[in-house]
Amino acid sequence: MRERLFSDKVFYRKLLQLTAPIALQSLMLASVAAADAIMLGSVEQNAMSAVSLATQIQFIQNMILSSVVVAALILGAQYWGKKDTRTVNDIFCMSLRYCGLTSILFFIGCVFFPRYLMLIFTNEEALITIGIRYLKVAGWSYLLTGISQCYLGVMKISEHASQTARISTGAVLINIVLNAVFIFGLFGLPAMGVQGAALATLIARIVELIWCVACSYREGYIRPDWSRFFKRNRLLAADFRKCLLPLLGASLFWGVGFTSYSAFMGHMGTDATAANSVAAVVRDLICCLCNGISSGGGILVGNELGSGDLKKGKLYGDRLVKLAFICGAFSTLIMLAVTPAVLHFVKLTEGAQDYLIGMMVIMSIYMIGRAINTIVINGIFAAGGDTMFDMYSLAVTMWGIAIPLAAAGTFLLNWPVLVVYACTCLDEVGKIPWVMIHYKKYKWVKDLTREM
């Protein structure tokens, strides 16, 4: 098995060159949430819980932004494989328009209507008040996130994935250092608590965007052709929407559904909210590996499909499926191994600690499905433009099974916290057989490019 799976050194070298920086970038982004949880959790449990709920707003924004960026990656990777850089630039400009509009809308909501947004996630007035203070500052950073993500996405498909890791790492380190300075009031500054965490995020996003724009002017990088920014290529726009709309539908299905899970925990008391906040941070850290393989593998498959080599694209997909199962098993072992250590990093009540232990055990099983589905659906299927399946599967497994059960357990049946939490993890594990059956149909093996 080892000989068959790992014999192609060229494939694995390319995959590592893409996966490592993308996984590192994902790890760096997740590290910010981890730093917020640790630092705020050491100050007050409610501060950590409130910020965890408040950042669900940005989570939904990121679902929309990531849909746009992934659509750009799908088409851009294929046109890059075809060596059509002019069309790649047009796709870049298109993604900037979509992301810019989204960023403005979320900025308005967070800065001017924060109370209404917090009421979606909790009815605890103490958490709402803290969350409002956070959103009024952090909302300004939401103006910038979408733009920088477009730049980073284009760097990934144009053979500059390592630069995206450097930029993200630098921005995260700035964010974490400033978190400590502003939250605790180091170097003679006043202790700002949650507002300090929000200010650190804003400064990091400013640095990240400036860095991205500066890099785009280097030789070999792609920057927006502003003379074509508002020009519309109807065929390309139609192809972009064909990729984007199913991705957006699936992302909103998943994002709103995932956010509702936090809302369920938020309505089950502060201990459940705090435990879920910590469990979510650990989950996001461990998911960085499958995120990297998904994005890097998807770009590799897309390059081959766009160049017209459908046979090699299919072969690469088969290899990635095997890696997905290995990644899922590895993620499960990591989740169980780190559980004892996690309890020492945050200040929780005894009840919240008990909830956290149970959540980590439940999530160790969930990670198998999460890794497999992320790599196969978001990586392989998306590379060939097969983006509708994700929306269908989420409609059935998440909205048809997991959410109704969790909602009934929270608001009607008064189920124990861990039973409700287990319901929120059903969707990823439950759709593995469906995903593999769809994979074997090979509908994703498609060349999406046109002669422009």
Side-chain angles (χ1 to χ4, degrees):
M1 180 178 178
R2 181 180 295 274
E3 181 67 24
R4 292 195 300 271
L5 182 57
F6 297 107
S7 59
D8 189 343
K9 294 181 180 179
V10 174
F11 168 77
Y12 286 103
R13 184 175 68 249
K14 289 180 179 179
L15 182 63
L16 181 62
Q17 289 172 346
L18 284 167
T19 295
I22 293 173
L24 177 61
Q25 181 188 8
S26 181
L27 177 63
M28 290 296 101
L29 294 174
S31 297
V32 175
D36 282 347
I38 293 171
M39 294 180 191
L40 292 173
S42 68
V43 175
E44 183 190 2
Q45 178 174 299
N46 280 352
M48 179 188 67
S49 301
V51 170
S52 176
L53 292 175
T55 52
Q56 295 303 308
I57 308 299
Q58 187 182 23
F59 177 73
I60 296 175
Q61 182 199 26
N62 285 340
M63 289 299 97
I64 300 174
L65 296 178
S66 66
S67 299
V68 176
V69 173
V70 169
L73 287 173
I74 291 170
L75 285 179
Q78 292 215 5
Y79 279 103
W80 185 262
K82 195 176 182 178
K83 304 186 185 304
D84 186 349
T85 56
R86 183 181 180 86
T87 302
V88 173
N89 201 304
D90 288 343
I91 293 169
F92 188 8
C93 291
M94 205 178 306
S95 66
L96 284 171
R97 292 197 297 270
Y98 282 111
C99 287
L101 178 60
T102 301
S103 298
I104 291 171
L105 293 176
F106 275 84
F107 159 75
I108 292 172
C110 290
V111 173
F112 297 103
F113 307 103
R115 169 170 284 276
Y116 298 103
L117 295 178
M118 286 300 299
L119 282 169
I120 297 172
F121 303 106
T122 183
N123 54 2
E124 299 280 348
E125 185 60 32
L127 300 183
I128 292 172
T129 301
I130 296 171
I132 289 172
R133 295 207 309 268
Y134 179 85
L135 286 174
K136 283 188 174 181
V137 179
W140 291 89
S141 71
Y142 301 168
L143 273 173
L144 311 176
T145 304
I147 309 303
S148 60
Q149 289 306 306
C150 290
Y151 275 88
L152 293 171
V154 169
M155 288 182 196
K156 290 174 187 175
I157 61 173
S158 57
E159 302 176 11
H160 298 293
S162 59
Q163 183 62 34
T164 68
R166 284 190 286 270
I167 293 172
S168 294
T169 301
V172 165
L173 291 177
I174 291 171
N175 199 334
I176 292 174
V177 171
L178 292 181
N179 262 349
V181 171
F182 295 145
I183 290 174
F184 301 118
L186 304 181
F187 306 112
L189 294 174
M192 300 173 64
V194 296
Q195 290 171 303
L199 181 58
T201 299
L202 173 59
I203 294 173
R205 295 288 81 76
I206 293 172
V207 172
E208 181 180 61
L209 181 57
I210 292 173
W211 197 344
C212 286
V213 174
C215 284
S216 71
Y217 281 88
R218 295 180 184 175
E219 185 177 354
Y221 284 73
I222 294 178
R223 59 181 179 272
D225 184 350
W226 300 112
S227 66
R228 297 175 56 83
F229 187 76
F230 291 106
K231 290 184 178 179
R232 187 180 180 191
N233 181 324
R234 291 188 176 183
L235 286 177
L236 185 61
D239 289 343
F240 192 87
R241 286 194 302 273
K242 188 176 180 180
C243 288
L244 172 61
L245 292 178
L247 284 169
L248 183 59
S251 290
L252 290 177
F253 266 16
W254 188 79
V256 174
F258 221 72
T259 302
S260 72
Y261 295 161
S262 296
F264 297 151
M265 292 296 108
H267 284 82
M268 300 191 79
T270 56
D271 281 351
T273 303
N276 182 60
S277 301
V278 177
V281 169
V282 178
R283 177 200 65 220
D284 291 343
L285 287 171
I286 295 177
C287 282
C288 293
L289 177 59
C290 67
N291 292 341
I293 296 175
S294 172
S295 297
I299 290 171
L300 276 184
V301 172
N303 287 163
E304 298 303 329
L305 296 178
S307 68
D309 195 342
L310 303 186
K311 184 177 179 181
K312 184 176 284 188
K314 179 176 175 291
L315 174 64
Y316 283 4
D318 291 340
R319 290 174 181 165
L320 288 170
V321 167
K322 296 175 183 177
L323 289 176
F325 279 89
I326 294 173
C327 182
F330 184 62
S331 300
T332 293
L333 294 176
I334 294 177
M335 183 67 69
L336 293 173
V338 302
T339 298
V342 169
L343 295 171
H344 296 287
F345 279 94
V346 289
K347 183 179 180 181
L348 297 175
T349 64
E350 185 176 346
Q353 285 189 354
D354 291 340
Y355 287 148
L356 179 58
I357 293 171
M359 289 176 179
M360 296 288 281
V361 172
I362 293 168
M363 204 168 9
S364 67
I365 301 172
Y366 160 90
M367 289 303 301
I368 298 173
R370 177 67 178 268
I372 293 170
N373 296 329
T374 297
I375 294 171
V376 177
I377 297 176
N378 299 342
I380 301 171
F381 291 172
D386 186 3
T387 54
M388 286 296 292
F389 175 81
D390 194 16
M391 188 166 66
Y392 294 147
S393 65
L394 287 168
V396 174
T397 58
M398 176 178 272
W399 287 91
I401 299 173
I403 289 178
L405 283 175
T410 301
F411 300 111
L412 299 177
L413 304 176
N414 295 319
W415 285 347
V417 169
L418 292 180
V419 175
V420 174
Y421 186 80
C423 290
T424 67
C425 296
L426 286 174
D427 55 315
E428 293 288 359
V429 177
K431 66 184 178 185
I432 293 176
W434 191 6
V435 169
M436 297 314 303
I437 290 171
H438 186 77
Y439 174 83
K440 288 297 184 180
K441 295 178 181 178
Y442 294 111
K443 292 182 178 180
W444 53 272
V445 184
K446 294 179 183 177
D447 180 355
L448 305 175
T449 63
R450 299 176 183 269
E451 294 298 331
M452 291 296 173

